[in-house]
Amino acid sequence: MTSHRSTQSMKPATAAKKLGVYLEATPAEFREGVVTRDELNALQTDPPAWLRELRKNGPHPRPVVAARLGTSISGLARGGVTEALTTDQIEALKENPPEWLVRERATQSEVREETKRLKARRDAEADADGPDA
């Protein structure tokens, strides 16, 4: 018996998310079609010029903007950033951070420290319980 492998496909929005690019900035043929798993793998392995350009200069989706600014997506929203930003706009914010960005970075840093503390505590408790638990 031969197994028939169906081709997995996804919506352009899903593919753009997996590629880390802003959907509205992608070429029309990308936005209007479907993307197969093989096509996605090809885009990741050997990105075309348009994809390299988007990744380098943007506009970038909010998760990428948040990561580059060292804050959360919620922090961006609290700061009034609801649109995609270019690399130049992100760099300008980094060079001259507004008060909201300084505050959100501090909050993000505190969250990371608390996460580390809790992980260390869980690890210590797991070690104390030993393998017999």
Side-chain angles (χ1 to χ4, degrees):
M1 178 171 204
T2 308
S3 65
H4 180 267
R5 199 178 111 175
S6 64
T7 304
Q8 290 182 328
S9 62
M10 61 194 83
K11 294 178 182 177
T14 303
K17 186 175 182 178
K18 290 180 181 289
L19 293 169
V21 295
Y22 186 57
L23 178 63
E24 286 74 20
T26 60
E29 60 269 12
F30 180 85
R31 289 191 311 268
E32 294 166 1
V34 294
V35 180
T36 66
R37 173 64 62 188
D38 291 339
E39 290 169 336
L40 179 68
N41 290 339
L43 288 169
Q44 290 172 325
T45 305
D46 187 22
W50 65 264
L51 181 54
R52 288 192 305 271
E53 178 67 21
L54 275 179
R55 285 177 169 169
K56 181 179 177 188
N57 296 316
H60 303 287
R62 288 181 304 154
V64 173
V65 173
R68 289 186 178 192
L69 289 175
T71 186
S72 66
I73 295 171
S74 298
L76 290 178
R78 286 188 292 271
V81 177
T82 57
E83 299 297 320
L85 298 180
T86 65
T87 299
D88 289 342
Q89 290 170 314
I90 293 168
E91 291 305 315
L93 285 171
K94 284 174 150 180
E95 289 172 14
N96 190 12
E99 182 183 326
W100 70 264
L101 181 55
V102 173
R103 186 176 55 250
E104 291 299 334
R105 282 179 166 172
T107 299
Q108 191 71 5
S109 178
E110 290 170 9
V111 168
R112 279 192 293 272
E113 289 302 315
E114 180 66 5
T115 301
K116 278 190 221 175
R117 186 187 70 76
L118 291 174
K119 182 182 182 321
R121 184 171 143 192
R122 278 192 307 270
D123 291 348
E125 288 173 356
D127 289 344
D129 290 340
D132 297 331

